[in-house]
Amino acid sequence: MRLAPRSPLLLAGLLGSAGVLHFARPRPFDTTVPRLLPGAPRTWTYVSGAVELGLAAAVAAPRTRRAASLAAAGFFVAVLPANVQMALDRRERHAAMRAAAYARLPLQAPLVAWALRASRDARG
């Protein structure tokens, strides 16, 4: 199945938007950083935001789309522990926060699949 030409651009937009949010509103992201990681959570928030911005630019560019889409798939897998941490931390919160945290967990799979499809369908 061929992706619509805009699908990788939508993926780039999603990554770019998330990257910008990491800098514009870092506090919610800080709370999802797994406590096992060394250093300050804000540092990890900014690093992951910068990675998302870089991936967004590379996925948007046809010449780098294949490699960047594969890297994006790996990134989506790598941030799963942060989503698990968020779900665990929000077990005792009100229902809407709990639901949002739990909903993020299964959403990683379609994001990985989307990035993998974009890499396979990239020309080059």
Side-chain angles (χ1 to χ4, degrees), residues 28-68:
F29 296 99
D30 293 346
T31 64
T32 69
V33 174
R35 293 184 256 311
L36 294 173
L37 290 175
R42 181 64 51 94
T43 301
W44 290 102
T45 295
Y46 288 156
V47 166
S48 62
V51 168
E52 286 173 323
L53 290 171
L55 287 170
V59 167
R63 290 185 62 182
T64 55
R65 184 169 295 150
R66 181 183 306 272

PDB file of all heavy atoms in Angstrom, residues 28-68:
ATOM      1  N   PRO A  28       4.797  19.366  31.987  1.00  0.00           N
ATOM      2  CA  PRO A  28       4.118  18.064  31.887  1.00  0.00           C
ATOM      3  C   PRO A  28       5.043  16.948  31.386  1.00  0.00           C
ATOM      4  O   PRO A  28       4.891  15.794  31.787  1.00  0.00           O
ATOM      5  CB  PRO A  28       2.981  18.314  30.886  1.00  0.00           C
ATOM      6  CG  PRO A  28       2.781  19.783  30.885  1.00  0.00           C
ATOM      7  CD  PRO A  28       4.109  20.395  31.202  1.00  0.00           C
ATOM      8  N   PHE A  29       5.989  17.296  30.530  1.00  0.00           N
ATOM      9  CA  PHE A  29       6.915  16.291  30.016  1.00  0.00           C
ATOM     10  C   PHE A  29       7.926  15.895  31.084  1.00  0.00           C
ATOM     11  O   PHE A  29       8.344  14.737  31.156  1.00  0.00           O
ATOM     12  CB  PHE A  29       7.624  16.806  28.761  1.00  0.00           C
ATOM     13  CG  PHE A  29       6.685  17.056  27.619  1.00  0.00           C
ATOM     14  CD1 PHE A  29       6.244  18.329  27.344  1.00  0.00           C
ATOM     15  CD2 PHE A  29       6.230  16.005  26.835  1.00  0.00           C
ATOM     16  CE1 PHE A  29       5.358  18.565  26.288  1.00  0.00           C
ATOM     17  CE2 PHE A  29       5.350  16.227  25.794  1.00  0.00           C
ATOM     18  CZ  PHE A  29       4.910  17.512  25.519  1.00  0.00           C
ATOM     19  N   ASP A  30       8.320  16.848  31.918  1.00  0.00           N
ATOM     20  CA  ASP A  30       9.261  16.548  32.996  1.00  0.00           C
ATOM     21  C   ASP A  30       8.737  15.430  33.886  1.00  0.00           C
ATOM     22  O   ASP A  30       9.507  14.587  34.352  1.00  0.00           O
ATOM     23  CB  ASP A  30       9.511  17.785  33.870  1.00  0.00           C
ATOM     24  CG  ASP A  30      10.229  18.904  33.162  1.00  0.00           C
ATOM     25  OD1 ASP A  30      10.787  18.684  32.071  1.00  0.00           O
ATOM     26  OD2 ASP A  30      10.228  20.031  33.720  1.00  0.00           O
ATOM     27  N   THR A  31       7.442  15.447  34.128  1.00  0.00           N
ATOM     28  CA  THR A  31       6.863  14.453  35.049  1.00  0.00           C
ATOM     29  C   THR A  31       6.828  13.054  34.452  1.00  0.00           C
ATOM     30  O   THR A  31       6.616  12.089  35.183  1.00  0.00           O
ATOM     31  CB  THR A  31       5.442  14.862  35.482  1.00  0.00           C
ATOM     32  OG1 THR A  31       4.586  14.861  34.347  1.00  0.00           O
ATOM     33  CG2 THR A  31       5.442  16.225  36.163  1.00  0.00           C
ATOM     34  N   THR A  32       7.024  12.926  33.151  1.00  0.00           N
ATOM     35  CA  THR A  32       6.987  11.596  32.537  1.00  0.00           C
ATOM     36  C   THR A  32       8.364  10.967  32.399  1.00  0.00           C
ATOM     37  O   THR A  32       8.465   9.809  32.016  1.00  0.00           O
ATOM     38  CB  THR A  32       6.332  11.641  31.132  1.00  0.00           C
ATOM     39  OG1 THR A  32       7.190  12.344  30.240  1.00  0.00           O
ATOM     40  CG2 THR A  32       4.962  12.283  31.179  1.00  0.00           C
ATOM     41  N   VAL A  33       9.403  11.711  32.714  1.00  0.00           N
ATOM     42  CA  VAL A  33      10.759  11.172  32.583  1.00  0.00           C
ATOM     43  C   VAL A  33      10.949  10.077  33.629  1.00  0.00           C
ATOM     44  O   VAL A  33      10.766  10.328  34.830  1.00  0.00           O
ATOM     45  CB  VAL A  33      11.814  12.287  32.761  1.00  0.00           C
ATOM     46  CG1 VAL A  33      13.219  11.705  32.768  1.00  0.00           C
ATOM     47  CG2 VAL A  33      11.662  13.332  31.661  1.00  0.00           C
ATOM     48  N   PRO A  34      11.285   8.880  33.187  1.00  0.00           N
ATOM     49  CA  PRO A  34      11.486   7.792  34.168  1.00  0.00           C
ATOM     50  C   PRO A  34      12.569   8.165  35.179  1.00  0.00           C
ATOM     51  O   PRO A  34      13.613   8.713  34.836  1.00  0.00           O
ATOM     52  CB  PRO A  34      11.930   6.607  33.295  1.00  0.00           C
ATOM     53  CG  PRO A  34      11.324   6.901  31.959  1.00  0.00           C
ATOM     54  CD  PRO A  34      11.394   8.396  31.818  1.00  0.00           C
ATOM     55  N   ARG A  35      12.290   7.877  36.434  1.00  0.00           N
ATOM     56  CA  ARG A  35      13.201   8.255  37.511  1.00  0.00           C
ATOM     57  C   ARG A  35      14.549   7.532  37.445  1.00  0.00           C
ATOM     58  O   ARG A  35      15.511   7.961  38.073  1.00  0.00           O
ATOM     59  CB  ARG A  35      12.532   8.005  38.853  1.00  0.00           C
ATOM     60  CG  ARG A  35      11.344   8.961  39.070  1.00  0.00           C
ATOM     61  CD  ARG A  35      10.705   8.811  40.418  1.00  0.00           C
ATOM     62  NE  ARG A  35       9.441   8.124  40.550  1.00  0.00           N
ATOM     63  CZ  ARG A  35       8.352   8.321  39.847  1.00  0.00           C
ATOM     64  NH1 ARG A  35       8.355   9.149  38.850  1.00  0.00           N
ATOM     65  NH2 ARG A  35       7.238   7.680  40.109  1.00  0.00           N
ATOM     66  N   LEU A  36      14.610   6.467  36.687  1.00  0.00           N
ATOM     67  CA  LEU A  36      15.870   5.730  36.548  1.00  0.00           C
ATOM     68  C   LEU A  36      16.900   6.476  35.702  1.00  0.00           C
ATOM     69  O   LEU A  36      18.093   6.180  35.785  1.00  0.00           O
ATOM     70  CB  LEU A  36      15.617   4.361  35.906  1.00  0.00           C
ATOM     71  CG  LEU A  36      14.797   3.378  36.738  1.00  0.00           C
ATOM     72  CD1 LEU A  36      14.474   2.134  35.924  1.00  0.00           C
ATOM     73  CD2 LEU A  36      15.549   3.006  37.996  1.00  0.00           C
ATOM     74  N   LEU A  37      16.452   7.413  34.896  1.00  0.00           N
ATOM     75  CA  LEU A  37      17.389   8.153  34.045  1.00  0.00           C
ATOM     76  C   LEU A  37      18.196   9.135  34.889  1.00  0.00           C
ATOM     77  O   LEU A  37      17.647   9.813  35.755  1.00  0.00           O
ATOM     78  CB  LEU A  37      16.635   8.906  32.947  1.00  0.00           C
ATOM     79  CG  LEU A  37      15.998   8.046  31.866  1.00  0.00           C
ATOM     80  CD1 LEU A  37      15.193   8.910  30.908  1.00  0.00           C
ATOM     81  CD2 LEU A  37      17.052   7.263  31.115  1.00  0.00           C
ATOM     82  N   PRO A  38      19.501   9.227  34.616  1.00  0.00           N
ATOM     83  CA  PRO A  38      20.332  10.157  35.390  1.00  0.00           C
ATOM     84  C   PRO A  38      20.080  11.605  34.964  1.00  0.00           C
ATOM     85  O   PRO A  38      19.642  11.868  33.851  1.00  0.00           O
ATOM     86  CB  PRO A  38      21.757   9.726  35.030  1.00  0.00           C
ATOM     87  CG  PRO A  38      21.631   9.135  33.659  1.00  0.00           C
ATOM     88  CD  PRO A  38      20.268   8.476  33.634  1.00  0.00           C
ATOM     89  N   GLY A  39      20.352  12.518  35.853  1.00  0.00           N
ATOM     90  CA  GLY A  39      20.242  13.930  35.516  1.00  0.00           C
ATOM     91  C   GLY A  39      18.858  14.488  35.775  1.00  0.00           C
ATOM     92  O   GLY A  39      17.954  13.810  36.246  1.00  0.00           O
ATOM     93  N   ALA A  40      18.732  15.744  35.431  1.00  0.00           N
ATOM     94  CA  ALA A  40      17.481  16.467  35.663  1.00  0.00           C
ATOM     95  C   ALA A  40      16.439  16.102  34.609  1.00  0.00           C
ATOM     96  O   ALA A  40      16.760  16.001  33.422  1.00  0.00           O
ATOM     97  CB  ALA A  40      17.738  17.967  35.626  1.00  0.00           C
ATOM     98  N   PRO A  41      15.195  15.907  35.023  1.00  0.00           N
ATOM     99  CA  PRO A  41      14.136  15.621  34.048  1.00  0.00           C
ATOM    100  C   PRO A  41      14.017  16.678  32.958  1.00  0.00           C
ATOM    101  O   PRO A  41      13.771  16.360  31.798  1.00  0.00           O
ATOM    102  CB  PRO A  41      12.862  15.569  34.905  1.00  0.00           C
ATOM    103  CG  PRO A  41      13.348  15.159  36.254  1.00  0.00           C
ATOM    104  CD  PRO A  41      14.693  15.824  36.401  1.00  0.00           C
ATOM    105  N   ARG A  42      14.222  17.956  33.299  1.00  0.00           N
ATOM    106  CA  ARG A  42      14.097  19.021  32.301  1.00  0.00           C
ATOM    107  C   ARG A  42      15.109  18.821  31.171  1.00  0.00           C
ATOM    108  O   ARG A  42      14.821  19.097  30.004  1.00  0.00           O
ATOM    109  CB  ARG A  42      14.284  20.383  32.971  1.00  0.00           C
ATOM    110  CG  ARG A  42      14.161  21.600  32.070  1.00  0.00           C
ATOM    111  CD  ARG A  42      12.771  21.789  31.442  1.00  0.00           C
ATOM    112  NE  ARG A  42      11.674  21.743  32.354  1.00  0.00           N
ATOM    113  CZ  ARG A  42      11.103  22.775  32.949  1.00  0.00           C
ATOM    114  NH1 ARG A  42      11.548  23.991  32.739  1.00  0.00           N
ATOM    115  NH2 ARG A  42      10.070  22.602  33.756  1.00  0.00           N
ATOM    116  N   THR A  43      16.294  18.338  31.512  1.00  0.00           N
ATOM    117  CA  THR A  43      17.292  18.072  30.475  1.00  0.00           C
ATOM    118  C   THR A  43      16.769  17.037  29.492  1.00  0.00           C
ATOM    119  O   THR A  43      16.882  17.217  28.275  1.00  0.00           O
ATOM    120  CB  THR A  43      18.617  17.579  31.110  1.00  0.00           C
ATOM    121  OG1 THR A  43      19.088  18.586  32.005  1.00  0.00           O
ATOM    122  CG2 THR A  43      19.658  17.278  30.051  1.00  0.00           C
ATOM    123  N   TRP A  44      16.180  15.968  30.011  1.00  0.00           N
ATOM    124  CA  TRP A  44      15.623  14.922  29.142  1.00  0.00           C
ATOM    125  C   TRP A  44      14.452  15.452  28.327  1.00  0.00           C
ATOM    126  O   TRP A  44      14.269  15.079  27.167  1.00  0.00           O
ATOM    127  CB  TRP A  44      15.210  13.702  29.960  1.00  0.00           C
ATOM    128  CG  TRP A  44      16.384  12.968  30.490  1.00  0.00           C
ATOM    129  CD1 TRP A  44      16.883  12.991  31.760  1.00  0.00           C
ATOM    130  CD2 TRP A  44      17.260  12.122  29.741  1.00  0.00           C
ATOM    131  NE1 TRP A  44      17.997  12.205  31.843  1.00  0.00           N
ATOM    132  CE2 TRP A  44      18.251  11.655  30.623  1.00  0.00           C
ATOM    133  CE3 TRP A  44      17.292  11.707  28.406  1.00  0.00           C
ATOM    134  CZ2 TRP A  44      19.264  10.787  30.220  1.00  0.00           C
ATOM    135  CZ3 TRP A  44      18.300  10.841  28.004  1.00  0.00           C
ATOM    136  CH2 TRP A  44      19.268  10.392  28.897  1.00  0.00           C
ATOM    137  N   THR A  45      13.650  16.334  28.925  1.00  0.00           N
ATOM    138  CA  THR A  45      12.541  16.944  28.199  1.00  0.00           C
ATOM    139  C   THR A  45      13.066  17.728  27.009  1.00  0.00           C
ATOM    140  O   THR A  45      12.560  17.598  25.886  1.00  0.00           O
ATOM    141  CB  THR A  45      11.736  17.867  29.133  1.00  0.00           C
ATOM    142  OG1 THR A  45      11.121  17.070  30.147  1.00  0.00           O
ATOM    143  CG2 THR A  45      10.670  18.640  28.376  1.00  0.00           C
ATOM    144  N   TYR A  46      14.087  18.531  27.232  1.00  0.00           N
ATOM    145  CA  TYR A  46      14.650  19.329  26.141  1.00  0.00           C
ATOM    146  C   TYR A  46      15.349  18.459  25.102  1.00  0.00           C
ATOM    147  O   TYR A  46      15.236  18.715  23.896  1.00  0.00           O
ATOM    148  CB  TYR A  46      15.607  20.393  26.684  1.00  0.00           C
ATOM    149  CG  TYR A  46      14.932  21.534  27.402  1.00  0.00           C
ATOM    150  CD1 TYR A  46      15.624  22.279  28.342  1.00  0.00           C
ATOM    151  CD2 TYR A  46      13.610  21.890  27.146  1.00  0.00           C
ATOM    152  CE1 TYR A  46      15.031  23.349  29.003  1.00  0.00           C
ATOM    153  CE2 TYR A  46      13.010  22.946  27.802  1.00  0.00           C
ATOM    154  CZ  TYR A  46      13.720  23.675  28.727  1.00  0.00           C
ATOM    155  OH  TYR A  46      13.121  24.728  29.372  1.00  0.00           O
ATOM    156  N   VAL A  47      16.052  17.430  25.549  1.00  0.00           N
ATOM    157  CA  VAL A  47      16.731  16.535  24.595  1.00  0.00           C
ATOM    158  C   VAL A  47      15.695  15.841  23.713  1.00  0.00           C
ATOM    159  O   VAL A  47      15.846  15.789  22.488  1.00  0.00           O
ATOM    160  CB  VAL A  47      17.620  15.515  25.334  1.00  0.00           C
ATOM    161  CG1 VAL A  47      18.057  14.387  24.416  1.00  0.00           C
ATOM    162  CG2 VAL A  47      18.833  16.209  25.935  1.00  0.00           C
ATOM    163  N   SER A  48      14.635  15.316  24.332  1.00  0.00           N
ATOM    164  CA  SER A  48      13.632  14.620  23.518  1.00  0.00           C
ATOM    165  C   SER A  48      12.910  15.593  22.597  1.00  0.00           C
ATOM    166  O   SER A  48      12.580  15.251  21.450  1.00  0.00           O
ATOM    167  CB  SER A  48      12.647  13.841  24.396  1.00  0.00           C
ATOM    168  OG  SER A  48      11.920  14.697  25.239  1.00  0.00           O
ATOM    169  N   GLY A  49      12.681  16.826  23.041  1.00  0.00           N
ATOM    170  CA  GLY A  49      12.075  17.834  22.171  1.00  0.00           C
ATOM    171  C   GLY A  49      12.965  18.149  20.982  1.00  0.00           C
ATOM    172  O   GLY A  49      12.495  18.269  19.841  1.00  0.00           O
ATOM    173  N   ALA A  50      14.262  18.278  21.234  1.00  0.00           N
ATOM    174  CA  ALA A  50      15.201  18.545  20.143  1.00  0.00           C
ATOM    175  C   ALA A  50      15.262  17.374  19.165  1.00  0.00           C
ATOM    176  O   ALA A  50      15.312  17.581  17.942  1.00  0.00           O
ATOM    177  CB  ALA A  50      16.590  18.837  20.712  1.00  0.00           C
ATOM    178  N   VAL A  51      15.216  16.169  19.689  1.00  0.00           N
ATOM    179  CA  VAL A  51      15.204  14.993  18.813  1.00  0.00           C
ATOM    180  C   VAL A  51      13.955  15.006  17.949  1.00  0.00           C
ATOM    181  O   VAL A  51      14.021  14.756  16.734  1.00  0.00           O
ATOM    182  CB  VAL A  51      15.305  13.686  19.642  1.00  0.00           C
ATOM    183  CG1 VAL A  51      15.005  12.457  18.794  1.00  0.00           C
ATOM    184  CG2 VAL A  51      16.688  13.577  20.283  1.00  0.00           C
ATOM    185  N   GLU A  52      12.812  15.295  18.542  1.00  0.00           N
ATOM    186  CA  GLU A  52      11.570  15.343  17.768  1.00  0.00           C
ATOM    187  C   GLU A  52      11.626  16.417  16.681  1.00  0.00           C
ATOM    188  O   GLU A  52      11.169  16.176  15.554  1.00  0.00           O
ATOM    189  CB  GLU A  52      10.374  15.573  18.686  1.00  0.00           C
ATOM    190  CG  GLU A  52      10.032  14.324  19.477  1.00  0.00           C
ATOM    191  CD  GLU A  52       8.962  14.548  20.518  1.00  0.00           C
ATOM    192  OE1 GLU A  52       8.941  15.619  21.149  1.00  0.00           O
ATOM    193  OE2 GLU A  52       8.150  13.634  20.695  1.00  0.00           O
ATOM    194  N   LEU A  53      12.186  17.565  16.992  1.00  0.00           N
ATOM    195  CA  LEU A  53      12.308  18.620  15.979  1.00  0.00           C
ATOM    196  C   LEU A  53      13.243  18.184  14.853  1.00  0.00           C
ATOM    197  O   LEU A  53      12.952  18.425  13.673  1.00  0.00           O
ATOM    198  CB  LEU A  53      12.795  19.920  16.622  1.00  0.00           C
ATOM    199  CG  LEU A  53      11.782  20.616  17.528  1.00  0.00           C
ATOM    200  CD1 LEU A  53      12.442  21.755  18.288  1.00  0.00           C
ATOM    201  CD2 LEU A  53      10.589  21.117  16.722  1.00  0.00           C
ATOM    202  N   GLY A  54      14.347  17.558  15.203  1.00  0.00           N
ATOM    203  CA  GLY A  54      15.266  17.059  14.179  1.00  0.00           C
ATOM    204  C   GLY A  54      14.636  15.984  13.318  1.00  0.00           C
ATOM    205  O   GLY A  54      14.783  15.988  12.086  1.00  0.00           O
ATOM    206  N   LEU A  55      13.919  15.059  13.956  1.00  0.00           N
ATOM    207  CA  LEU A  55      13.225  14.014  13.197  1.00  0.00           C
ATOM    208  C   LEU A  55      12.164  14.624  12.285  1.00  0.00           C
ATOM    209  O   LEU A  55      12.000  14.188  11.140  1.00  0.00           O
ATOM    210  CB  LEU A  55      12.589  12.995  14.142  1.00  0.00           C
ATOM    211  CG  LEU A  55      13.538  12.041  14.851  1.00  0.00           C
ATOM    212  CD1 LEU A  55      12.796  11.252  15.926  1.00  0.00           C
ATOM    213  CD2 LEU A  55      14.210  11.105  13.852  1.00  0.00           C
ATOM    214  N   ALA A  56      11.450  15.619  12.778  1.00  0.00           N
ATOM    215  CA  ALA A  56      10.415  16.265  11.967  1.00  0.00           C
ATOM    216  C   ALA A  56      11.020  16.841  10.691  1.00  0.00           C
ATOM    217  O   ALA A  56      10.491  16.630   9.587  1.00  0.00           O
ATOM    218  CB  ALA A  56       9.733  17.372  12.771  1.00  0.00           C
ATOM    219  N   ALA A  57      12.116  17.546  10.840  1.00  0.00           N
ATOM    220  CA  ALA A  57      12.763  18.143   9.667  1.00  0.00           C
ATOM    221  C   ALA A  57      13.256  17.065   8.708  1.00  0.00           C
ATOM    222  O   ALA A  57      13.090  17.195   7.486  1.00  0.00           O
ATOM    223  CB  ALA A  57      13.929  19.031  10.111  1.00  0.00           C
ATOM    224  N   ALA A  58      13.827  16.013   9.238  1.00  0.00           N
ATOM    225  CA  ALA A  58      14.377  14.958   8.389  1.00  0.00           C
ATOM    226  C   ALA A  58      13.289  14.118   7.726  1.00  0.00           C
ATOM    227  O   ALA A  58      13.444  13.690   6.582  1.00  0.00           O
ATOM    228  CB  ALA A  58      15.322  14.073   9.201  1.00  0.00           C
ATOM    229  N   VAL A  59      12.174  13.884   8.413  1.00  0.00           N
ATOM    230  CA  VAL A  59      11.059  13.146   7.800  1.00  0.00           C
ATOM    231  C   VAL A  59      10.426  13.992   6.700  1.00  0.00           C
ATOM    232  O   VAL A  59      10.001  13.477   5.664  1.00  0.00           O
ATOM    233  CB  VAL A  59      10.012  12.732   8.863  1.00  0.00           C
ATOM    234  CG1 VAL A  59       8.720  12.245   8.213  1.00  0.00           C
ATOM    235  CG2 VAL A  59      10.574  11.643   9.777  1.00  0.00           C
ATOM    236  N   ALA A  60      10.381  15.289   6.891  1.00  0.00           N
ATOM    237  CA  ALA A  60       9.769  16.178   5.891  1.00  0.00           C
ATOM    238  C   ALA A  60      10.586  16.246   4.604  1.00  0.00           C
ATOM    239  O   ALA A  60      10.026  16.469   3.530  1.00  0.00           O
ATOM    240  CB  ALA A  60       9.600  17.578   6.468  1.00  0.00           C
ATOM    241  N   ALA A  61      11.878  16.041   4.698  1.00  0.00           N
ATOM    242  CA  ALA A  61      12.753  16.147   3.519  1.00  0.00           C
ATOM    243  C   ALA A  61      12.815  14.807   2.783  1.00  0.00           C
ATOM    244  O   ALA A  61      13.194  13.794   3.375  1.00  0.00           O
ATOM    245  CB  ALA A  61      14.156  16.566   3.947  1.00  0.00           C
ATOM    246  N   PRO A  62      12.446  14.770   1.518  1.00  0.00           N
ATOM    247  CA  PRO A  62      12.440  13.494   0.785  1.00  0.00           C
ATOM    248  C   PRO A  62      13.782  12.757   0.807  1.00  0.00           C
ATOM    249  O   PRO A  62      13.801  11.529   0.896  1.00  0.00           O
ATOM    250  CB  PRO A  62      12.059  13.906  -0.641  1.00  0.00           C
ATOM    251  CG  PRO A  62      11.267  15.162  -0.460  1.00  0.00           C
ATOM    252  CD  PRO A  62      11.912  15.866   0.713  1.00  0.00           C
ATOM    253  N   ARG A  63      14.882  13.480   0.755  1.00  0.00           N
ATOM    254  CA  ARG A  63      16.202  12.819   0.705  1.00  0.00           C
ATOM    255  C   ARG A  63      16.538  12.073   1.987  1.00  0.00           C
ATOM    256  O   ARG A  63      17.294  11.115   1.966  1.00  0.00           O
ATOM    257  CB  ARG A  63      17.293  13.842   0.416  1.00  0.00           C
ATOM    258  CG  ARG A  63      17.213  14.369  -1.013  1.00  0.00           C
ATOM    259  CD  ARG A  63      18.354  15.279  -1.322  1.00  0.00           C
ATOM    260  NE  ARG A  63      19.612  14.532  -1.214  1.00  0.00           N
ATOM    261  CZ  ARG A  63      20.786  15.064  -1.387  1.00  0.00           C
ATOM    262  NH1 ARG A  63      20.907  16.334  -1.645  1.00  0.00           N
ATOM    263  NH2 ARG A  63      21.868  14.332  -1.284  1.00  0.00           N
ATOM    264  N   THR A  64      16.028  12.525   3.116  1.00  0.00           N
ATOM    265  CA  THR A  64      16.346  11.889   4.393  1.00  0.00           C
ATOM    266  C   THR A  64      15.162  11.139   4.996  1.00  0.00           C
ATOM    267  O   THR A  64      15.270  10.593   6.095  1.00  0.00           O
ATOM    268  CB  THR A  64      16.838  12.947   5.401  1.00  0.00           C
ATOM    269  OG1 THR A  64      15.845  13.977   5.512  1.00  0.00           O
ATOM    270  CG2 THR A  64      18.164  13.550   4.965  1.00  0.00           C
ATOM    271  N   ARG A  65      14.069  11.091   4.269  1.00  0.00           N
ATOM    272  CA  ARG A  65      12.829  10.537   4.819  1.00  0.00           C
ATOM    273  C   ARG A  65      12.951   9.080   5.246  1.00  0.00           C
ATOM    274  O   ARG A  65      12.475   8.697   6.312  1.00  0.00           O
ATOM    275  CB  ARG A  65      11.697  10.701   3.814  1.00  0.00           C
ATOM    276  CG  ARG A  65      10.361  10.221   4.360  1.00  0.00           C
ATOM    277  CD  ARG A  65       9.236  10.652   3.459  1.00  0.00           C
ATOM    278  NE  ARG A  65       9.162  12.112   3.475  1.00  0.00           N
ATOM    279  CZ  ARG A  65       8.745  12.840   2.452  1.00  0.00           C
ATOM    280  NH1 ARG A  65       8.364  12.271   1.335  1.00  0.00           N
ATOM    281  NH2 ARG A  65       8.713  14.152   2.551  1.00  0.00           N
ATOM    282  N   ARG A  66      13.590   8.245   4.449  1.00  0.00           N
ATOM    283  CA  ARG A  66      13.662   6.821   4.779  1.00  0.00           C
ATOM    284  C   ARG A  66      14.387   6.614   6.110  1.00  0.00           C
ATOM    285  O   ARG A  66      13.862   5.975   7.022  1.00  0.00           O
ATOM    286  CB  ARG A  66      14.349   6.033   3.674  1.00  0.00           C
ATOM    287  CG  ARG A  66      14.425   4.536   3.956  1.00  0.00           C
ATOM    288  CD  ARG A  66      15.175   3.774   2.874  1.00  0.00           C
ATOM    289  NE  ARG A  66      14.650   4.011   1.544  1.00  0.00           N
ATOM    290  CZ  ARG A  66      13.665   3.315   0.975  1.00  0.00           C
ATOM    291  NH1 ARG A  66      13.103   2.340   1.635  1.00  0.00           N
ATOM    292  NH2 ARG A  66      13.258   3.591  -0.234  1.00  0.00           N
ATOM    293  N   ALA A  67      15.586   7.136   6.227  1.00  0.00           N
ATOM    294  CA  ALA A  67      16.358   6.956   7.464  1.00  0.00           C
ATOM    295  C   ALA A  67      15.675   7.636   8.647  1.00  0.00           C
ATOM    296  O   ALA A  67      15.632   7.086   9.757  1.00  0.00           O
ATOM    297  CB  ALA A  67      17.767   7.504   7.279  1.00  0.00           C
ATOM    298  N   ALA A  68      15.130   8.821   8.418  1.00  0.00           N
ATOM    299  CA  ALA A  68      14.480   9.554   9.511  1.00  0.00           C
ATOM    300  C   ALA A  68      13.213   8.848   9.982  1.00  0.00           C
ATOM    301  O   ALA A  68      12.917   8.835  11.179  1.00  0.00           O
ATOM    302  CB  ALA A  68      14.154  10.972   9.067  1.00  0.00           C
TER     303      ALA A  68
END
